[in-house]
Amino acid sequence: MKAVVWHAVGDIRLEDVPEPKIQAPTDAIVKITTSAICGTDLHLIRGTMPGMNEGTIIGHEAVGEVLEAGTGVRNFSPGDRVVIPSTLSCGYCSYCRAGYQAQCDNANPGGKLAGTAFFGGPKAAGGFDGLQAEYARIPYANTSLVPVPPGVTDAQAIMVSDIFPTAWFGAKLAEIRTGDTVAVFGAGPVGQLSILSAYLQGAGRVIAVDHNDDRLALAQTQHAEIINFDTEEPIAAIRDLTGGIGVDRVIDAVGVDAQRPAGTSGDQARQFDAEQQQAAPETNVQAGQWVPGDAPSQVSQWAAQAVAKAGTIGIIGVYPQTISTYPIGVVMNKNLTVKTGNCNHRHYMPDLLRLVAEGGVDPALLLTEHEPMTDVMAAYREFDQRQPGWVKVALNPAA
């Protein structure tokens, strides 16, 4: 089958690889009908999420059809249409039962202390082959698959595999209450759905901060108030918009690959340079592609400064374990609450799929590109370089 395979930092390839097979009674094989490219995939290729095994199929978002189910999978049959959560979970440990599927005790072969297991990630995340492929093996399929409701399209369902639940989780972490003013840092695909989630959870105002004009324009169509951090100082702008107080809640939808504002210099630039070296000790930049973010702690700093005293910050942007810089002094002295973590996708997906099926929201409106798997390398290039219009990319393995 065709699959996107990670070989080294800056080196992914579309290759022919063996089709997956059932390895345990709780496995299923799914024929992928739609996959997608995510910003997390870029971390793996840019070098800001280290520890990948050569030969791993990447990708952690997919919709498909059950092709084969193991004898231990009692709730799915061949032909069932499913969406695959990005994170794996056993469904029966205490964490899964409590809704913390991202901290499942059993899914990660590294053991109970190993942390989140997800498709197409590094060895620390289990080393599981991912979903940018024609077929995929799904461990713990009885809980690592979610049925797609009738009437929900692939384009809608693929958004519920990862980024919509992640955005919803970010709004929950930020503790958004009715009438709150919320700042969302990052207007990429997760940021766009964070704006939507903030409004759905009761926000009165949402302020979006980015520097890509097309993404800010898309945020404005959702009635977010927009700030371009290259043309104005974002904290000053936020305080001006909030009577000098700051926002009630912040969602960090950027993470380690944050970019510094134009004109950053002096001590701040030197600090960011050191952080970038720590975050991505190995890089493979090629003609402007696969460039790691040059300001890993920028959004952490802005979030702490932007939020009002006693406010809350929800962090869903990816920060690998190699990152150790955080503005703890500002956070402590403002009595802030900071919540973060990998999304418990399986916990939120059924309700979000029902919301889509009932017509309450259409996340597919943010799916800007539909590309055949044969053009995946070109699609990665455009998405990596944040070309205008390339907000979220779906892949069709059959094309």
Tab-separated table of all heavy atoms in Angstrom, residues 4-27:
chain	number	residue	atom	x	y	z
A	4	VAL	N	2.835	7.529	3.859
A	4	VAL	CA	3.842	8.574	4.071
A	4	VAL	C	4.747	8.114	5.204
A	4	VAL	O	4.277	7.898	6.326
A	4	VAL	CB	3.186	9.920	4.404
A	4	VAL	CG1	4.260	10.999	4.571
A	4	VAL	CG2	2.193	10.318	3.322
A	5	VAL	N	6.025	7.970	4.916
A	5	VAL	CA	6.966	7.340	5.846
A	5	VAL	C	8.030	8.347	6.284
A	5	VAL	O	8.624	9.051	5.458
A	5	VAL	CB	7.643	6.118	5.185
A	5	VAL	CG1	8.626	5.451	6.149
A	5	VAL	CG2	6.582	5.111	4.740
A	6	TRP	N	8.270	8.391	7.605
A	6	TRP	CA	9.307	9.250	8.182
A	6	TRP	C	10.641	8.505	8.141
A	6	TRP	O	10.757	7.372	8.602
A	6	TRP	CB	8.956	9.583	9.631
A	6	TRP	CG	9.795	10.651	10.284
A	6	TRP	CD1	9.496	11.966	10.410
A	6	TRP	CD2	11.068	10.480	10.941
A	6	TRP	NE1	10.492	12.632	11.083
A	6	TRP	CE2	11.471	11.746	11.416
A	6	TRP	CE3	11.901	9.386	11.152
A	6	TRP	CZ2	12.664	11.943	12.109
A	6	TRP	CZ3	13.100	9.580	11.825
A	6	TRP	CH2	13.468	10.841	12.303
A	7	HIS	N	11.672	9.153	7.586
A	7	HIS	CA	13.007	8.564	7.540
A	7	HIS	C	14.002	9.311	8.413
A	7	HIS	O	14.888	8.704	9.011
A	7	HIS	CB	13.509	8.500	6.093
A	7	HIS	CG	12.867	7.412	5.296
A	7	HIS	ND1	13.329	6.113	5.288
A	7	HIS	CD2	11.769	7.427	4.502
A	7	HIS	CE1	12.552	5.371	4.516
A	7	HIS	NE2	11.594	6.141	4.022
A	8	ALA	N	13.889	10.632	8.453
A	8	ALA	CA	14.794	11.450	9.256
A	8	ALA	C	14.201	12.846	9.339
A	8	ALA	O	13.218	13.157	8.640
A	8	ALA	CB	16.194	11.493	8.632
A	9	VAL	N	14.772	13.679	10.198
A	9	VAL	CA	14.334	15.075	10.251
A	9	VAL	C	14.472	15.667	8.848
A	9	VAL	O	15.511	15.548	8.200
A	9	VAL	CB	15.182	15.860	11.266
A	9	VAL	CG1	14.861	17.351	11.197
A	9	VAL	CG2	14.940	15.335	12.678
A	10	GLY	N	13.384	16.256	8.363
A	10	GLY	CA	13.392	16.832	7.022
A	10	GLY	C	13.297	15.829	5.903
A	10	GLY	O	13.484	16.196	4.732
A	11	ASP	N	12.975	14.569	6.206
A	11	ASP	CA	12.958	13.529	5.172
A	11	ASP	C	11.753	12.615	5.362
A	11	ASP	O	11.786	11.668	6.154
A	11	ASP	CB	14.255	12.721	5.219
A	11	ASP	CG	14.342	11.648	4.121
A	11	ASP	OD1	13.436	11.581	3.270
A	11	ASP	OD2	15.323	10.878	4.145
A	12	ILE	N	10.673	12.918	4.656
A	12	ILE	CA	9.518	12.023	4.587
A	12	ILE	C	9.306	11.657	3.126
A	12	ILE	O	9.657	12.408	2.223
A	12	ILE	CB	8.239	12.647	5.177
A	12	ILE	CG1	7.876	13.950	4.440
A	12	ILE	CG2	8.375	12.862	6.672
A	12	ILE	CD1	6.501	14.482	4.790
A	13	ARG	N	8.725	10.458	2.895
A	13	ARG	CA	8.564	9.976	1.532
A	13	ARG	C	7.239	9.222	1.395
A	13	ARG	O	6.804	8.548	2.335
A	13	ARG	CB	9.708	9.030	1.151
A	13	ARG	CG	11.103	9.578	1.417
A	13	ARG	CD	12.174	8.508	1.224
A	13	ARG	NE	13.427	8.875	1.881
A	13	ARG	CZ	14.472	8.065	2.013
A	13	ARG	NH1	14.409	6.822	1.529
A	13	ARG	NH2	15.554	8.472	2.638
A	14	LEU	N	6.640	9.328	0.221
A	14	LEU	CA	5.493	8.493	-0.125
A	14	LEU	C	6.037	7.205	-0.708
A	14	LEU	O	6.711	7.218	-1.739
A	14	LEU	CB	4.591	9.205	-1.125
A	14	LEU	CG	3.345	8.435	-1.566
A	14	LEU	CD1	2.401	8.197	-0.403
A	14	LEU	CD2	2.628	9.164	-2.707
A	15	GLU	N	5.766	6.088	-0.024
A	15	GLU	CA	6.388	4.818	-0.396
A	15	GLU	C	5.369	3.683	-0.435
A	15	GLU	O	4.265	3.784	0.126
A	15	GLU	CB	7.486	4.457	0.612
A	15	GLU	CG	8.648	5.422	0.631
A	15	GLU	CD	9.739	5.012	1.605
A	15	GLU	OE1	9.442	4.299	2.589
A	15	GLU	OE2	10.887	5.410	1.381
A	16	ASP	N	5.768	2.596	-1.064
A	16	ASP	CA	5.028	1.336	-0.985
A	16	ASP	C	5.524	0.570	0.232
A	16	ASP	O	6.730	0.319	0.371
A	16	ASP	CB	5.250	0.504	-2.242
A	16	ASP	CG	4.562	1.084	-3.454
A	16	ASP	OD1	3.365	1.417	-3.343
A	16	ASP	OD2	5.217	1.226	-4.501
A	17	VAL	N	4.605	0.206	1.117
A	17	VAL	CA	4.945	-0.535	2.339
A	17	VAL	C	3.970	-1.698	2.478
A	17	VAL	O	2.897	-1.702	1.867
A	17	VAL	CB	4.873	0.375	3.587
A	17	VAL	CG1	5.843	1.546	3.462
A	17	VAL	CG2	3.453	0.882	3.819
A	18	PRO	N	4.294	-2.701	3.299
A	18	PRO	CA	3.371	-3.820	3.483
A	18	PRO	C	2.058	-3.379	4.124
A	18	PRO	O	2.036	-2.487	4.981
A	18	PRO	CB	4.142	-4.763	4.424
A	18	PRO	CG	5.576	-4.397	4.246
A	18	PRO	CD	5.590	-2.925	3.982
A	19	GLU	N	0.979	-4.004	3.709
A	19	GLU	CA	-0.309	-3.720	4.332
A	19	GLU	C	-0.309	-4.242	5.765
A	19	GLU	O	0.320	-5.264	6.066
A	19	GLU	CB	-1.443	-4.375	3.547
A	19	GLU	CG	-1.659	-3.764	2.173
A	19	GLU	CD	-2.832	-4.384	1.440
A	19	GLU	OE1	-3.562	-5.203	2.061
A	19	GLU	OE2	-3.028	-4.055	0.252
A	20	PRO	N	-1.006	-3.561	6.686
A	20	PRO	CA	-1.040	-4.007	8.086
A	20	PRO	C	-1.870	-5.271	8.238
A	20	PRO	O	-2.749	-5.572	7.424
A	20	PRO	CB	-1.691	-2.828	8.810
A	20	PRO	CG	-2.572	-2.203	7.772
A	20	PRO	CD	-1.823	-2.345	6.471
A	21	LYS	N	-1.585	-5.995	9.318
A	21	LYS	CA	-2.321	-7.220	9.632
A	21	LYS	C	-2.769	-7.198	11.085
A	21	LYS	O	-2.184	-6.514	11.926
A	21	LYS	CB	-1.438	-8.451	9.371
A	21	LYS	CG	-0.974	-8.586	7.918
A	21	LYS	CD	-0.189	-9.879	7.706
A	21	LYS	CE	0.317	-9.982	6.263
A	21	LYS	NZ	-0.805	-9.988	5.300
A	22	ILE	N	-3.800	-7.961	11.381
A	22	ILE	CA	-4.251	-8.143	12.759
A	22	ILE	C	-3.115	-8.765	13.573
A	22	ILE	O	-2.537	-9.786	13.182
A	22	ILE	CB	-5.493	-9.052	12.826
A	22	ILE	CG1	-6.688	-8.393	12.104
A	22	ILE	CG2	-5.837	-9.420	14.255
A	22	ILE	CD1	-7.356	-7.289	12.856
A	23	GLN	N	-2.775	-8.140	14.689
A	23	GLN	CA	-1.717	-8.661	15.560
A	23	GLN	C	-2.236	-9.107	16.923
A	23	GLN	O	-1.551	-9.827	17.642
A	23	GLN	CB	-0.627	-7.600	15.755
A	23	GLN	CG	0.079	-7.192	14.478
A	23	GLN	CD	1.153	-6.134	14.708
A	23	GLN	OE1	1.642	-5.971	15.827
A	23	GLN	NE2	1.520	-5.418	13.660
A	24	ALA	N	-3.442	-8.647	17.286
A	24	ALA	CA	-4.031	-9.011	18.576
A	24	ALA	C	-5.539	-9.099	18.395
A	24	ALA	O	-6.098	-8.479	17.471
A	24	ALA	CB	-3.674	-7.970	19.634
A	25	PRO	N	-6.226	-9.856	19.248
A	25	PRO	CA	-7.680	-9.989	19.094
A	25	PRO	C	-8.429	-8.663	19.142
A	25	PRO	O	-9.519	-8.550	18.582
A	25	PRO	CB	-8.077	-10.888	20.276
A	25	PRO	CG	-6.836	-11.641	20.610
A	25	PRO	CD	-5.706	-10.711	20.339
A	26	THR	N	-7.839	-7.651	19.802
A	26	THR	CA	-8.514	-6.358	19.937
A	26	THR	C	-8.176	-5.393	18.797
A	26	THR	O	-8.554	-4.222	18.846
A	26	THR	CB	-8.142	-5.713	21.279
A	26	THR	OG1	-6.720	-5.721	21.427
A	26	THR	CG2	-8.769	-6.478	22.437
A	27	ASP	N	-7.467	-5.863	17.766
A	27	ASP	CA	-7.128	-5.027	16.615
A	27	ASP	C	-8.264	-4.995	15.590
A	27	ASP	O	-9.086	-5.924	15.511
A	27	ASP	CB	-5.900	-5.577	15.889
A	27	ASP	CG	-4.602	-5.350	16.639
A	27	ASP	OD1	-4.616	-4.635	17.664
A	27	ASP	OD2	-3.567	-5.895	16.196
